[in-house]
Amino acid sequence: MAIYKHLLLALDFGDDQERLIDHAVSMASVFDARLTLAHIVDYMPAAYGGEVPLPDDLQMDALLLDKAKGRLASLVAGLALPDVDWRAELGVPKHGITRLAEELEVDLILVGSHGRHGLQLLLGSTANGVLHLAGCDVLAIRVKDGD
Ligand code: AMP
């Protein structure tokens, strides 16, 4: 019996994206598991309730969310997997990723590890946050430092 039934790949649309997707697709094939690609739009308005008018911020949120949805949809369309989906949300990445994993009953979250300096040398802040918040297994896929 496969250990993992549903994998969630967290994507920040960075340079390592292709490698992370290849890795996730291979694992989904090996485990015969579902795969969901997820991106959290962490747009932060410059000010809250002050000089920045709220409607503009909301529009920017919606714009970025739409863009993320489009990117994920086209990535998923290019994958040769029977059971693959995508999700995009607004929020803080580590919280959004772990919340989605819970909602979708994911049993393995895949993140890239690309902390580049100091204490983040081994794990980036998001990867580290996901590791501590997740209620399921987390795999940090090694990505090259300084790419
Ligand atoms: P970082 O902590 O920024 O070095 O990112 C490490 C990994 O966390 C990335 O490779 C992604 O897997 C994940 N990640 C970071 N930001 C986001 C985001 N906004 N949405 C989804 N996943 C993210």
Side-chain angles (χ1 to χ4, degrees), residues 9-12 16 20 38-42 93 97 110-115 120 123-128 130 143:
L9 172 63
L11 284 177
D12 60 2
D16 309 309
L20 296 178
H39 178 77
I40 309 300
V41 175
D42 62 346
I97 293 163
L110 300 117
V111 289
S113 76
H114 53 81
Q120 295 189 355
L123 284 179
S125 55
T126 302
N128 205 14
V130 168
V143 288

Side-chain angles (χ1 to χ4, degrees), residues 8-25 35-42 68 71-76 79 84-89 93 97 100 109-112 114 126 130 141 143:
L8 182 83
L9 172 63
L11 284 177
D12 60 2
F13 299 139
D15 295 343
D16 309 309
Q17 174 172 293
E18 209 172 313
R19 184 186 144 108
L20 296 178
I21 292 174
D22 283 353
H23 200 114
V25 166
L35 174 65
T36 300
L37 270 49
H39 178 77
I40 309 300
V41 175
D42 62 346
R71 291 179 82 162
L72 288 170
S74 73
L75 283 172
V76 160
L79 298 182
V84 60
D85 203 353
W86 58 267
R87 291 289 292 264
E89 291 192 355
I97 293 163
L100 263 180
I109 301 172
L110 300 117
V111 289
H114 53 81
T126 302
V130 168
I141 300 167
V143 288

Side-chain angles (χ1 to χ4, degrees), residues 96-117:
I97 293 163
T98 48
R99 200 206 60 72
L100 263 180
E102 213 166 297
E103 180 195 322
L104 300 173
E105 297 182 1
V106 159
D107 36 33
L108 179 66
I109 301 172
L110 300 117
V111 289
S113 76
H114 53 81
R116 291 196 168 105
H117 15 243

